[in-house]
Amino acid sequence: MSALLIAGSPSERSRSAALLDAVAQRLSVRGALVDRVHIRNLSPQALLLADFAHPTVVNALDQVARARVLVVASPVYKAAYSGVLKVFLDLLPQTALKGKVVLPLATGGSPHHMLALDYALRPVLQSLGAKSILPGIYATDAQVALTPEGAYHLQDDIAKRLDEAVHVLFTETLRPTPAQVAHSAHFAPVHFSQVRCSV
């Protein structure tokens, strides 16, 4: 099953990207197929001009369409998610997230901006028809600390919340249901005239 990780930071390396990396690692360990969209790598002109025919936009929209689960991560600026993420979400068709499960992630300088997930990002995801939006995970700069080596380290409380979120994603969405397993185990019906017997 497939999960698409959408990086909404304008920076190549960021705390929100570190959260995505942690989710990707946890999903991969469980055997899920993980794909990514780095919005910063899409054509800026195509994004701003809503050029749906541009190859980078076409490919990104196809990735969204194929995924069953989306993990959307963004830094919080001015009490809202990033502008690059906003531009990308504006390009999605109105029902782009129909039948999909979404896990929102965000990072910010202080706890004061955590409501951006519920009051800014969640309504947009709902308007795009998401089947289910899991409780968002917000981390402050202190909870995703930059080490002297230049890597990011997640505090235990954030790591635990990511563990729980990935567990929910996998058990409720990515893992086949008993009904799906039973259906895949059935043979296609065969007409009686095609039955051959040997004695």
Side-chain angles (χ1 to χ4, degrees), residues 1 3 5 20-36 162-163 166-167 169-171 174-175:
M1 303 302 174
L5 311 185
L20 279 183
D21 290 341
V23 170
Q25 181 182 21
R26 286 160 170 78
L27 287 172
S28 297
V29 166
R30 290 174 173 263
L33 299 177
V34 178
D35 202 1
R36 293 182 188 242
L162 291 177
D163 288 338
V166 168
H167 176 74
L169 284 177
F170 190 81
T171 56
L174 294 173
R175 187 173 61 187

Side-chain angles (χ1 to χ4, degrees), residues 3-198:
L4 179 63
L5 311 185
I6 299 178
S9 174
S11 303
E12 182 177 359
R13 296 182 68 251
S14 64
R15 287 176 167 85
S16 60
L19 292 183
L20 279 183
D21 290 341
V23 170
Q25 181 182 21
R26 286 160 170 78
L27 287 172
S28 297
V29 166
R30 290 174 173 263
L33 299 177
V34 178
D35 202 1
R36 293 182 188 242
V37 168
H38 295 275
I39 300 173
R40 69 180 304 277
N41 293 337
L42 305 183
S43 165
Q45 183 175 5
L47 285 173
L48 291 175
L49 299 180
D51 182 0
F52 294 96
H54 193 279
T56 62
V57 173
V58 170
N59 184 57
L61 296 182
D62 285 345
Q63 288 177 281
V64 171
R66 291 193 305 266
R68 290 184 59 191
V69 165
L70 299 179
V71 183
V72 181
S74 172
V76 173
Y77 301 124
K78 305 293 192 295
Y81 56 94
S82 71
V84 294
L85 179 58
K86 170 64 174 169
V87 172
F88 179 71
L89 294 177
D90 285 346
L91 292 181
L92 297 179
Q94 193 61 47
T95 58
L97 304 186
K98 184 177 180 180
K100 302 181 189 301
V101 176
V102 183
L103 170 62
L105 308 173
T107 57
S110 75
H112 301 297
H113 301 298
M114 69 172 53
L115 292 180
L117 281 171
D118 290 330
Y119 290 100
L121 184 54
R122 180 177 289 269
V124 177
L125 299 174
Q126 288 174 331
S127 74
L128 292 169
K131 173 185 174 184
S132 175
I133 303 173
L134 299 185
I137 297 176
Y138 178 87
T140 65
D141 289 354
Q143 292 172 313
V144 187
L146 184 62
T147 68
E149 295 76 27
Y152 287 104
H153 174 72
L154 304 184
Q155 283 193 352
D156 290 345
D157 57 337
I158 293 298
K160 183 177 179 181
R161 291 182 64 194
L162 291 177
D163 288 338
E164 293 168 352
V166 168
H167 176 74
V168 171
L169 284 177
F170 190 81
T171 56
E172 296 185 8
T173 305
L174 294 173
R175 187 173 61 187
T177 65
Q180 290 171 324
V181 173
H183 177 73
S184 65
H186 289 144
F187 293 102
V190 178
H191 191 273
F192 184 74
S193 64
Q194 294 177 309
V195 175
R196 298 289 184 265
C197 298
S198 61

